[in-house]
């Protein structure tokens, strides 16, 4: 199979190469703003360097990838927001099948077989896609390759009438360790009565060397926390080795975002809360009573 | 400038029952509804049309067949968004519609939208599948620009100014109409309709059309399986000191501390 790959993020592009090499030969598109990082790219057969196009130009990307895409069996894009934005557009332009947030992929009898989560994490869809196929790959599922220096070929950007103009781009404040890369996460929910009380969660996270994430209501409705730390299917999907969920009931949208966690602990006053079905260890107790004691014990342990 | 809002008849995943042992997923038993983010898209459409004095219409293409139950639910979902202030609704459904994939659905929706609307609002992802593929495909089918993840929309003549939220930055773009825009839940707080508005909504025009996709799925064959939940589900009992102690012990044995 011939695979074409692109991501706005070079780190994710490396994951796409790894995913694509399982299928066949991989060509990676590199845009002008990414040129400086060409030296880091391993494992692809070929780099298609487009010096005339910046990755911030969505319409230019759709045009370029759709134009090249018809020569390939599979187009791989990344699972970030801008990656997903391209999938449907490119797929439709080349008359291809499509899927997003794919967690596994393989070639079988001239088809691409993929798996992805659906129904808010209650089911996994196994899809046989006819070729050509355009898909986005879930972040963190494929390990970058270390070997193989690609050849570089320059390509030109097609000229188009642009209807989208970027007026402004504002960096979001960086949150220390991004949630999806954190080894230990404390997730907070509506069980916290006021914003100041989140201190209890931050103290627990600090002693564990972890970071704090939140359910949708806390981040989006109450605005107690940044949107970037909202865990769930429409927020960040996390995969820490330890997740402690405090005062969250375990709504499906949240549950889907924590499925890849290794060990899950839930603290909630309601023994019937669905979060206990999603947890390895459950503590049916008031968080205001339990967290300080747990933090103290852990501090003693860590302090030696 | 008339606005179309894409409303999907989504499976209510909170109510969906799955059997871990047999792997059965009780799709037929689960109710359907308009997705939460589609309520945000509706709210935004109502706000824009109130400002501009144009019409906003809900367009739904149901992919659950045409049983009495699903028809009733589809109409209820549309009544819900009509009560929020939309002017009318188009419901496209038919036997065998569940075989329609995003390619086919995008084409059918484009038929309904082309020439009638200048702005299409959708959710960044549907409640049940959350792929976000449909608005993107619809834009490609119509040949219109597509901007996803909107957190604010302003109409400026024949353009819209869209603020959108991406992972590491916020972007403000100016898009020439006609266009397809998908919104996130942060864009607004959907109004809760009053009873009188719900009563009135039932009298608003609801145009039902038949839909029959090609016999065989054009692009993909799909099967569903239940993911294996391998959680231990151990509830730790005792007083607060004991529970904390036992939990720390368990986490040490897990090797995660």
């Amino acid at each position: 199979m011939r695979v074409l790959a692109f991501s706005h993020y070079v780190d994710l592009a490396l994951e796409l190469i790894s995913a694509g090499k399982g299928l066949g030969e991989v060509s990676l598109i590199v845009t002008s703003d990414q040129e400086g990082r060409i030296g880091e790219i391993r494992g692809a057969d070929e780099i298609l360097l487009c010096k005339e196009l910046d990755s911030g130009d969505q319409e230019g990307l759709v045009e370029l990838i759709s134009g090249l895409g018809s020569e390939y069996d599979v187009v791989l894009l990344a699972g970030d927001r801008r990656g997903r934005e391209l999938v449907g557009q490119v797929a439709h332009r080349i008359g291809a099948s499509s899927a997003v947030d794919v967690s596994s992929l393989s070639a079988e009898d001239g088809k691409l077989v993929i798996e992805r989560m659906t129904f808010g994490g209650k089911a996994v869809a196994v899809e046989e896609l006819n070729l050509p196929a355009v898909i986005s790959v879930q972040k963190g599922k494929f390990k970058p390759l270390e070997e193989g220096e690609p050849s570089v070929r320059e390509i030109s950007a097609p000229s188009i009438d642009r209807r989208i103009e970027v007026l402004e781009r504002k960096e979001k404040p960086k949150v220390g360790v991004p949630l999806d890369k954190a080894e230990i996460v404390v997730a907070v929910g509506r069980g916290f009565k006021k914003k100041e009380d989140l201190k209890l969660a931050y103290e627990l996270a600090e002693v564990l060397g972890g970071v704090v994430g939140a359910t949708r209501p806390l981040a989006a409705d109450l605005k107690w926390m940044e949107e970037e730390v909202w865990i769930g299917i429409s927020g960040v999907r996390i995969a820490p080795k330890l997740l402690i969920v405090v005062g969250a009931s375990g709504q499906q949208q949240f549950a889907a975002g924590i499925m890849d966690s290794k060990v899950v602990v839930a603290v909630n006053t309601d023994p019937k809360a669905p979060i206990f079905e999603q947890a390895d260890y459950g503590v049916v107790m008031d968080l205001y009573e339990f967290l300080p004691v747990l933090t103290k014990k852990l501090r003693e342990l860590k302090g030696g | 400038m008339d606005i179309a809002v894409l409303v999907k008849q989504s499976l209510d995943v909170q109510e969906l029952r799955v059997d871990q042992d047999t792997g059965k997923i009780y799709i037929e038993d689960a109710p359907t509804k308009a997705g939460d983010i589609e309520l945000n898209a509706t709210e935004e459409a109502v706000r824009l049309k109130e400002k501009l004095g144009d019409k906003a219409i809900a367009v739904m293409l149901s992919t659950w067949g045409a049983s009495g139950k699903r028809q009733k639910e589809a109409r209820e979902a549309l009544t819900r968004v009509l009560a929020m202030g939309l002017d009318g609704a188009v419901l496209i459904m038919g036997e065998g519609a569940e075989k329609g994939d995003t390619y086919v659905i995008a084409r059918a929706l484009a038929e309904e939208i082309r020439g009638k609307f200048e702005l299409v609002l959708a959710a960044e992802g549907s409640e049940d599948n959350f792929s976000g593929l449909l608005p993107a495909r619809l834009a490609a089918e119509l040949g219109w620009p597509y901007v996803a993840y909107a957190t604010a929309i302003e109409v400026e003549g024949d353009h819209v100014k869209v603020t959108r939220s991406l992972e590491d930055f916020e972007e403000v773009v100016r898009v020439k109409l006609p266009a397809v825009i998908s919104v996130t839940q942060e864009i607004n707080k959907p109004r809760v309709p009053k009873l009188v508005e719900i009563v009135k909504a039932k009298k608003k025009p609801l145009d039902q059309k038949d839909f029959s996709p090609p016999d065989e799925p054009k692009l993909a064959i799909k099967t569903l399986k239940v993911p294996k939940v391998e959680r231990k589900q151990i509830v730790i009992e005792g007083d607060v000191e004991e529970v904390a102690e036992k939990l720390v012990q368990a986490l040490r044995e897990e090797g995660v501390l």
Side-chain angles (χ1 to χ4, degrees):
Chain A
M1 274 189 195
R2 296 192 68 210
V3 179
L4 179 67
F6 170 76
S7 173
H8 295 83
Y9 300 91
V10 174
D11 295 346
L12 295 181
L14 299 177
E15 294 183 12
L16 296 182
I17 293 169
S18 172
K21 282 306 280 181
L23 302 172
E25 261 180 48
V26 180
S27 301
L28 178 76
I29 298 173
V30 170
T31 48
S32 58
D33 51 308
Q34 303 174 331
E35 195 185 345
R37 294 186 65 185
I38 275 189
E40 296 169 41
I41 295 166
R42 293 281 178 282
D45 296 277
E46 182 186 39
I47 285 173
L48 303 175
L49 173 63
C50 188
K51 288 185 179 175
E52 300 161 10
L53 190 69
D54 182 273
S55 69
D57 178 357
Q58 194 233 116
E59 288 175 287
L61 282 172
V62 169
E63 191 71 29
L64 178 72
I65 302 170
S66 306
L68 290 169
S70 51
E71 295 164 30
Y72 292 83
D73 301 304
V74 177
V75 177
L76 296 183
L77 298 161
D80 64 292
R81 288 187 155 196
R82 283 182 294 170
R84 270 187 285 152
E85 182 179 58
L86 298 174
V87 179
Q89 295 186 84
V90 171
H92 208 80
R93 288 276 295 272
I94 57 183
S97 58
S98 56
V100 300
D101 262 332
V102 164
S103 56
S104 80
L105 71 178
S106 60
E108 279 171 37
D109 302 330
K111 292 193 175 180
L112 184 67
V113 180
I114 63 100
E115 290 196 359
R116 66 178 300 263
M117 197 175 77
T118 185
F119 296 153
K122 283 193 174 166
V124 174
V126 185
E127 300 183 4
E128 276 181 31
L129 305 177
N130 291 335
L131 302 181
V134 181
I135 62 173
S136 69
V137 178
Q138 196 188 332
K139 275 186 251 183
K141 286 285 169 185
F142 293 88
K143 211 169 160 276
L145 305 173
E146 281 162 17
E147 300 289 320
E149 202 158 317
S151 60
V152 180
R153 176 156 67 94
E154 274 196 44
I155 55 170
S156 53
S159 67
I160 49 164
D161 276 339
R162 282 182 179 69
R163 294 159 298 177
I164 303 174
E165 182 195 353
V166 177
L167 301 178
E168 200 187 325
R169 202 167 271 169
K170 221 170 39 204
E171 292 259 338
K172 287 184 179 176
K174 293 255 184 301
V175 284
V177 179
L179 267 186
D180 55 353
K181 296 206 171 68
E183 295 244 296
I184 297 182
V185 175
V186 176
V188 295
R190 292 296 290 259
F192 286 85
K193 295 189 186 90
K194 46 184 204 300
K195 191 178 173 184
E196 295 68 45
D197 300 343
L198 294 177
K199 185 173 81 189
L200 295 171
Y202 282 105
E203 282 168 0
L204 174 61
E206 194 193 340
V207 67
L208 288 166
V211 296
V212 179
T215 59
R216 210 196 84 77
L218 256 66
D221 302 339
L222 295 170
K223 310 246 184 236
W224 284 359
M225 296 177 76
E226 296 287 326
E227 215 183 281
E228 283 64 46
V229 300
W230 151 12
I231 299 164
I233 197 161
S234 51
V236 185
R237 284 164 70 176
I238 59 170
K241 62 178 190 183
L242 172 61
L243 168 67
I244 304 181
V245 184
V246 187
S249 65
Q251 285 283 314
Q252 200 55 45
Q253 298 295 321
F254 174 77
I258 64 168
M259 286 174 83
D260 293 334
S261 307
K262 193 168 159 242
V263 176
V264 179
V265 177
V267 181
N268 199 300
T269 47
D270 177 9
K272 292 203 195 78
I275 190 66
F276 289 118
E277 287 165 30
Q278 304 149 26
D280 295 293
Y281 300 98
V283 175
V284 184
M285 218 169 258
D286 185 353
L287 71 93
Y288 288 89
E289 203 184 328
F290 182 67
L291 284 201
V293 179
L294 179 63
T295 304
K296 190 177 100 219
K297 289 230 184 286
L298 286 165
R299 194 169 283 137
E300 285 164 10
L301 180 77
K302 299 273 174 177
Chain B
M1 184 194 70
D2 289 347
I3 305 168
V5 185
L6 300 187
V7 179
K8 183 179 177 186
Q9 184 174 18
S10 288
L11 215 56
D12 187 341
V13 292
Q14 207 65 40
E15 301 290 321
L16 176 65
R17 261 192 327 121
V18 297
D19 190 323
Q20 296 286 344
D21 301 324
T22 62
K24 188 156 169 47
I25 302 166
Y26 294 87
I27 292 177
E28 292 303 317
D29 298 345
T32 61
K33 59 170 202 159
D36 283 346
I37 313 179
E38 279 139 17
L39 299 185
N40 297 90
T42 301
E43 175 66 37
E44 201 61 22
V46 172
R47 286 183 191 195
L48 291 174
K49 77 144 195 147
E50 280 171 352
K51 214 178 283 176
L52 302 165
D54 297 306
K55 273 195 183 154
I57 306 286
V59 181
M60 174 183 278
L61 194 154
S62 169
T63 49
W64 301 109
S67 69
K69 176 189 170 192
R70 294 303 188 207
Q71 295 223 27
K72 183 168 168 280
E73 288 171 345
R75 285 174 169 267
E76 280 167 4
L78 288 171
T79 302
R80 174 87 174 80
V81 293
L82 285 169
M84 289 174 68
L86 296 181
D87 300 292
V90 179
L91 170 61
I92 309 165
M93 73 191 308
E95 287 300 339
E98 59 274 21
K99 291 189 197 126
D101 52 39
T102 52
Y103 175 81
V104 173
I105 295 166
R107 289 176 63 117
L109 284 172
E111 283 298 299
E112 199 51 51
I113 283 159
R114 196 180 283 119
K116 293 184 203 156
F117 301 96
E118 277 151 282
L119 178 62
V120 175
L121 296 183
E124 61 159 316
S126 63
E127 185 101 356
D128 52 5
N129 199 33
F130 209 80
S131 78
L133 284 168
L134 196 70
R137 278 189 179 270
L138 175 64
E141 177 69 24
L142 292 164
W144 295 1
Y146 175 56
V147 176
Y149 316 111
T151 54
I153 301 173
E154 270 174 70
V155 177
E156 296 177 339
D158 60 352
H159 284 76
V160 276
K161 198 165 111 182
V162 181
T163 306
R164 65 198 205 115
S165 173
L166 301 167
E167 275 87 352
D168 34 16
F169 53 83
E170 210 180 65
E171 196 172 73
V172 182
V173 296
R174 193 163 174 271
V175 189
K176 191 167 184 336
L177 293 169
V180 179
I181 314 253
S182 75
V183 309
T184 67
Q185 273 185 300
E186 299 94 275
I187 194 166
N188 55 39
K189 199 162 183 292
R191 67 194 70 187
V192 180
K194 298 189 189 79
L195 191 59
V196 55
E197 288 161 332
I198 296 169
V199 173
K200 268 201 271 177
K202 289 182 180 153
K203 293 185 185 123
K204 288 185 179 176
L206 196 161
D207 187 7
Q208 185 163 344
K209 299 183 175 182
D210 191 49
F211 170 65
S212 48
D215 283 345
E216 285 301 310
K218 189 176 158 72
L219 296 171
I221 299 167
K222 190 194 278 189
T223 53
L224 293 166
K225 61 180 188 185
V226 177
K228 278 227 162 25
V229 178
E230 284 157 358
R231 297 292 173 209
K232 297 196 179 83
Q233 301 185 10
I234 299 168
V235 173
I236 305 176
E237 318 248 358
D239 66 31
V240 63
E241 288 285 334
E242 286 164 12
V243 172
E245 191 63 49
K246 284 184 203 167
L247 177 61
V248 170
Q249 189 55 36
L251 295 180
R252 290 185 74 175
E253 278 162 23
E254 294 272 5
V256 294
L257 284 187

